[in-house]
Amino acid sequence: MQRLVDHVLAVTKESVKTFTYESLNNVVRLINGVSALLLTILPGNSSILEGIHGWELRPAFRGPRLPRWMEDGVSSFNQFIHELSVEPNASSSVEYSSQEDVDENIGPMSPLLQSSRASRVSSFTRQSGNWAHLYRYIFSWFLFPIKFMLGIPLYLYGSRTTSGSLQSSPLRATKRLQSLKDHFVQRATDRRRGVVEDLHLAIEIIIETVFGFVHKAAHCLLSPIVTFTEVVKWFFSCMSGPEDVPADGSGVSVPTDTLSENDPTPRERQTSFYHSLNTDARTCQDVITELGYPYEALRVVTNDGYILLLERIPRRDAQKVVYLQHGVFDSSMGWISNGVVGSPAFAAYDQGYDVFLGNFRGLVSREHVGGNISPRQYWRYSINEHGTQDIPAIIQKIHEIKVSELRNSQAGFEEECESDQPYKLCAISHSLGGAAILMYVITQRIQEKPHRLSRLILLSPAGFHHDSNIVFTVMEYVFLVLSPLLMPFVPAFYIPTRFFRMLVNKLARDFHNLPAVGGLVQTLISYVVGGDSSNWVGALGLSHYNMNDMPAVSFCVALHMAQIKRRRKFIMFDYGSAATNMEVYGSPQPLDLGEYYLLIDIPVDLVAGQKDNVIRPSMVRKHYDLMTDAGVDVSYNEFEYAHLDFTFSHREELLTYVMSRLMLVGYSTKQPAGQKSLRNRRNEVQSNSH
């Protein structure tokens, strides 16, 4: 009788699974098909979709070739990657394939590669079982009333299949720890599931739970003696009080190897796994250290109390320093998002630079020295604060660190160095970061304070926006007209609640797995931003958009950009009151920074994108024309890029250009940091004009 019941339940369960799976797959195919149909109707999608392959979400198991600019300065990890690259023309982003296909393409493998391949295969085979136990554990909490009322029948026959996940023996715990260590190999890449995959798993778990309950209840009724025996065993096991082991592995600390900057031997770093919802929450520290580079995190407090995260790939004895500053809706993750050989941060480090990655204020976590600061108070800042509060605090922190380190590492430091700055600091900024750092240099010069910079490399810098499309013009009027009404209710722009941020994090994977849906989302976002063909879907997949935090934009920053567009000038924030402007600027109107370009006393390299429809090349040339008229040592170059291609896409041509501009700076300690005085600079400009 039990065999008959088992057979009927097994056939019914598999039938229900097949029906639900096919129904869900058909719905997904329908959505993908409708998206493909819409793509054929929407105009201009051919040029928009050309950027969707720039930043891949799939992990790459093979390293690409080393570009030309890395031939003379390669880290040990880069050399290791290069040695594994057997095929010269192989793509850096490979599809998931079978073991036989991989062996045919790569050829004979080294023992190290074989062991890593075996580790990956073992982790893939064990991972499905671990995740099944995890989801049973999660959904058991949703079914807690039933589990409480019928706990005894559920336990009787479940101990054979689930005891390993709830009451693990020492051997089982050891195996689980080894599985987590194998899984850690994949942690530097994107291994999250999308919403569709989660639905598949949820359906399977629900079906297994329901039929498992029916199956165990039937066995209890058909085998009363066995049921009584199991009840007695369960009672005595509860009296002994065994310790439970979390099924999801949360809190399990796994030692991982990280290469030190000065010591080539691996050192151990404890890493905990908290991925019960399987979202991509990697930080810059995760990516940098797991790619073999040193890492350091620094907390910077601005004068107005905001706490900023300054991240570093340290070379403590280097006199060459580069500071990278991101743009709007971005973070320091953008400078390392393309991996070892495609990211500006790693490129600069491999050329001998001490690399600092700045982060503006504006995270959803709202870090501030005043822990009880209200959201409305926190988001009350504009581009002014980025340029006059954030960047000054960051550069001052860099200065203090470098002076201290070089003083400790170099003998006779004070005698040899004729300046208070024994290093040369270059800045690379993108989009809003470019406008903020220009504001910083000019305001520091007005106050006759040192800005400590030796060169600026500005990638599609903001500051002028009047040459734009109709979408930005409509947004301009909305912000300027409705700002008094919207500002109290919309202090900033970000994805609200942890649930919706998690949903976006998972949808980014679905956009990649469903090409037509991803293409439709890419096209719609591009329409909103003026037809720019950047890989917006790939940018949404960056791990700084996670359920716990994300970079945001305050309402006043958006309003400030609308004011700049309306005035057709690079102005500081207009407070809307002549009295307030007079108090802040000393004049009833905000400062026009373009009129103060004559104060810029360092070389500036401007880079524009020919396909950039967010900040068009004509707007970057506006900076160039004003700087040329002011006598600034400025260069201008254009590449066939869209707006996000400067950070999110692997562009060897751009990296080669940026590295070549950085190398134009001399690094002698006996050269003063000297910036020409304000009076001398004005006299020089006036003499050149005559």
Side-chain angles (χ1 to χ4, degrees):
M1 187 64 181
Q2 288 184 359
R3 291 183 179 180
L4 177 61
V5 171
D6 292 345
H7 180 72
V8 171
L9 289 177
V11 172
T12 306
K13 180 176 68 174
E14 294 304 319
S15 300
V16 173
K17 280 186 179 181
T18 302
F19 175 77
T20 53
Y21 288 170
E22 289 302 318
S23 300
L24 179 59
N25 288 334
N26 288 333
V27 172
V28 172
R29 294 189 190 103
L30 176 63
I31 295 174
N32 201 48
V34 172
S35 301
L37 180 62
L38 292 175
L39 277 176
T40 61
I41 301 173
L42 294 175
N45 58 355
S46 59
S47 61
I48 291 174
L49 295 180
E50 65 183 5
I52 200 170
H53 302 293
W55 189 84
E56 297 295 343
L57 292 175
R58 291 187 184 275
F61 292 148
R62 261 185 295 172
R65 296 180 62 190
L66 295 176
R68 292 188 303 272
W69 49 264
M70 296 182 63
E71 292 176 355
D72 298 326
V74 184
S75 69
S76 58
F77 191 84
N78 290 340
Q79 189 64 37
F80 168 73
I81 290 292
H82 184 50
E83 291 172 357
L84 294 183
S85 303
V86 178
E87 288 290 335
N89 298 322
S91 171
S92 62
S93 179
V94 295
E95 300 291 333
Y96 296 105
S97 57
S98 65
Q99 180 68 28
E100 292 77 6
D101 295 337
V102 174
D103 292 342
E104 291 177 1
N105 292 334
I106 297 181
M109 294 184 295
S110 65
L112 180 59
L113 186 58
Q114 289 177 348
S115 63
S116 63
R117 183 72 49 76
S119 174
R120 285 196 299 269
V121 172
S122 64
S123 66
F124 289 156
T125 56
R126 287 193 292 257
Q127 192 176 4
S128 59
N130 292 333
W131 283 117
H133 289 302
L134 164 64
Y135 272 87
R136 288 191 185 97
Y137 181 76
I138 294 175
F139 274 87
S140 66
W141 288 101
F142 292 99
L143 301 174
F144 181 77
I146 299 176
K147 183 178 178 182
F148 177 78
M149 295 174 62
L150 302 173
I152 294 177
L154 284 173
Y155 169 78
L156 294 180
Y157 291 93
S159 59
R160 297 190 183 94
T161 57
T162 61
S163 60
S165 63
L166 295 177
Q167 298 179 1
S168 299
S169 64
L171 179 61
R172 178 82 177 193
T174 303
K175 290 182 178 180
R176 179 165 186 79
L177 183 60
Q178 182 63 37
S179 175
L180 285 172
K181 293 171 75 173
D182 291 338
H183 174 69
F184 188 74
V185 175
Q186 304 296 331
R187 197 158 179 264
T189 57
D190 182 10
R191 301 298 305 160
R192 65 188 144 173
R193 289 185 299 270
V195 175
V196 175
E197 294 170 290
D198 278 347
L199 287 176
H200 275 289
L201 283 174
I203 290 173
E204 180 178 0
I205 291 167
I206 292 173
I207 294 174
E208 289 285 350
T209 301
V210 172
F211 278 90
F213 169 74
V214 175
H215 178 266
K216 293 164 189 174
H219 273 248
C220 289
L221 295 175
L222 295 175
S223 303
I225 298 177
V226 176
T227 301
F228 178 76
T229 303
E230 292 293 340
V231 169
V232 173
K233 290 181 179 179
W234 173 72
F235 176 78
F236 284 105
S237 65
C238 291
M239 295 295 293
S240 61
E243 295 182 358
D244 292 341
V245 177
D248 59 350
S250 61
V252 177
S253 184
V254 179
T256 63
D257 289 337
T258 303
L259 295 180
S260 173
E261 176 199 6
N262 300 319
D263 186 5
T265 59
R267 66 174 184 267
E268 223 176 53
R269 180 169 70 88
Q270 296 295 325
T271 303
S272 299
F273 293 86
Y274 297 94
H275 296 294
S276 59
L277 296 176
N278 195 243
T279 59
D280 186 7
R282 290 168 293 163
T283 63
C284 271
Q285 180 179 4
D286 295 328
V287 176
I288 292 172
T289 56
E290 286 147 24
L291 288 176
Y293 289 83
Y295 174 86
E296 183 179 354
L298 305 165
R299 295 289 175 176
V300 179
V301 180
T302 64
N303 291 333
D304 53 353
Y306 286 77
I307 300 175
L308 312 178
L309 176 61
L310 177 61
E311 299 177 283
R312 183 186 185 191
I313 311 178
R315 285 188 185 272
R316 304 188 189 282
D317 58 347
Q319 294 177 328
K320 303 187 298 182
V321 185
V322 63
Y323 159 53
L324 297 98
Q325 185 57 59
H326 63 78
V328 68
F329 279 120
D330 197 5
S331 73
S332 55
M333 182 68 73
W335 300 111
I336 62 170
S337 60
N338 292 300
V340 176
V341 297
S343 302
F346 297 137
Y349 180 84
D350 292 325
Q351 291 297 316
Y353 288 85
D354 192 355
V355 179
F356 288 86
L357 307 172
N359 289 279
F360 282 142
R361 66 182 70 188
L363 292 175
V364 173
S365 55
R366 300 199 305 270
E367 294 191 55
H368 195 276
V369 293
N372 297 325
I373 185 173
S374 66
R376 185 176 302 177
Q377 290 176 323
Y378 178 87
W379 296 111
R380 192 177 297 169
Y381 64 85
S382 65
I383 305 176
N384 282 20
E385 282 67 31
H386 289 325
T388 62
Q389 295 287 343
D390 295 352
I391 294 181
I394 289 173
I395 291 183
Q396 181 61 28
K397 186 72 171 181
I398 294 173
H399 176 71
E400 294 172 357
I401 290 172
K402 291 306 297 180
V403 170
S404 175
E405 290 177 347
L406 292 176
R407 178 180 291 113
N408 294 332
S409 64
Q410 296 180 6
F413 170 85
E414 295 181 355
E415 290 78 8
E416 292 184 6
C417 185
E418 300 176 3
S419 168
D420 66 339
Q421 184 173 331
Y423 62 93
K424 291 298 180 69
L425 175 61
C426 299
I428 304 174
S429 302
H430 175 242
S431 191
L432 182 68
I437 206 160
L438 285 173
M439 183 183 296
Y440 161 75
V441 172
I442 292 172
T443 53
Q444 290 291 106
R445 297 285 285 127
I446 291 175
Q447 300 173 34
E448 298 188 349
K449 296 180 180 179
H451 55 68
R452 306 194 184 282
L453 293 169
S454 299
R455 193 176 196 93
L456 294 180
I457 301 175
L458 308 181
L459 310 177
S460 189
F464 295 100
H465 303 278
H466 49 271
D467 182 12
S468 61
N469 57 71
I470 187 64
V471 176
F472 288 120
T473 303
V474 172
M475 294 173 63
E476 168 200 344
Y477 282 100
V478 169
F479 277 105
L480 294 176
V481 174
L482 301 180
S483 60
L485 299 176
L486 295 177
M487 191 178 299
F489 302 100
V490 188
F493 299 96
Y494 56 90
I495 303 171
T497 75
R498 299 176 76 249
F499 172 78
F500 286 109
R501 289 195 291 272
M502 178 193 69
L503 187 63
V504 171
N505 192 277
K506 287 180 171 293
L507 284 175
R509 166 55 67 186
D510 289 322
F511 295 154
H512 183 82
N513 292 338
L514 304 173
V517 177
L520 180 62
V521 174
Q522 166 80 6
T523 303
L524 295 178
I525 296 177
S526 298
Y527 285 162
V528 174
V529 295
D532 188 87
S533 61
S534 299
N535 187 3
W536 302 101
V537 171
L540 285 176
L542 284 178
S543 57
H544 58 203
Y545 293 105
N546 59 71
M547 63 184 300
N548 299 315
D549 212 349
M550 67 166 286
V553 174
S554 75
F555 187 92
C556 289
V557 168
L559 178 60
H560 192 174
M561 298 180 72
Q563 293 174 355
I564 291 174
K565 188 176 184 305
R566 166 63 66 88
R567 300 283 186 88
R568 306 171 71 92
K569 295 179 180 179
F570 184 14
I571 60 172
M572 299 188 76
F573 186 71
D574 188 351
Y575 292 92
S577 167
T580 306
N581 288 338
M582 180 66 70
E583 180 182 352
V584 175
Y585 306 117
S587 64
Q589 295 296 325
L591 294 182
D592 181 1
L593 296 175
E595 296 180 354
Y596 290 85
Y597 276 1
L598 59 91
L599 302 181
I600 301 176
D601 58 345
I602 55 176
V604 180
D605 300 300
L606 299 172
V607 183
Q610 296 175 359
K611 297 181 179 179
D612 192 340
N613 285 324
V614 177
I615 301 175
R616 293 180 174 176
S618 60
M619 298 293 91
V620 181
R621 283 197 298 269
K622 181 70 172 177
H623 286 287
Y624 176 75
D625 294 338
L626 290 176
M627 290 182 185
T628 302
D629 296 339
V632 180
D633 182 6
V634 60
S635 69
Y636 176 82
N637 205 342
E638 288 186 7
F639 293 93
E640 198 174 353
Y641 298 163
H643 191 66
L644 297 186
D645 292 344
F646 292 102
T647 55
F648 295 147
S649 297
H650 183 179
R651 304 286 183 172
E652 181 179 343
E653 182 184 18
L654 176 65
L655 293 179
T656 304
Y657 175 78
V658 171
M659 292 300 106
S660 67
R661 306 313 290 181
L662 288 178
M663 293 177 183
L664 295 177
V665 180
Y667 296 97
S668 172
T669 57
K670 294 191 176 183
Q671 280 187 350
Q675 296 154 7
K676 299 176 183 177
S677 67
L678 184 59
R679 181 178 301 175
N680 292 341
R681 181 65 179 156
R682 286 174 175 170
N683 294 337
E684 183 179 310
V685 172
Q686 291 175 0
S687 62
N688 291 336
S689 62
H690 292 305

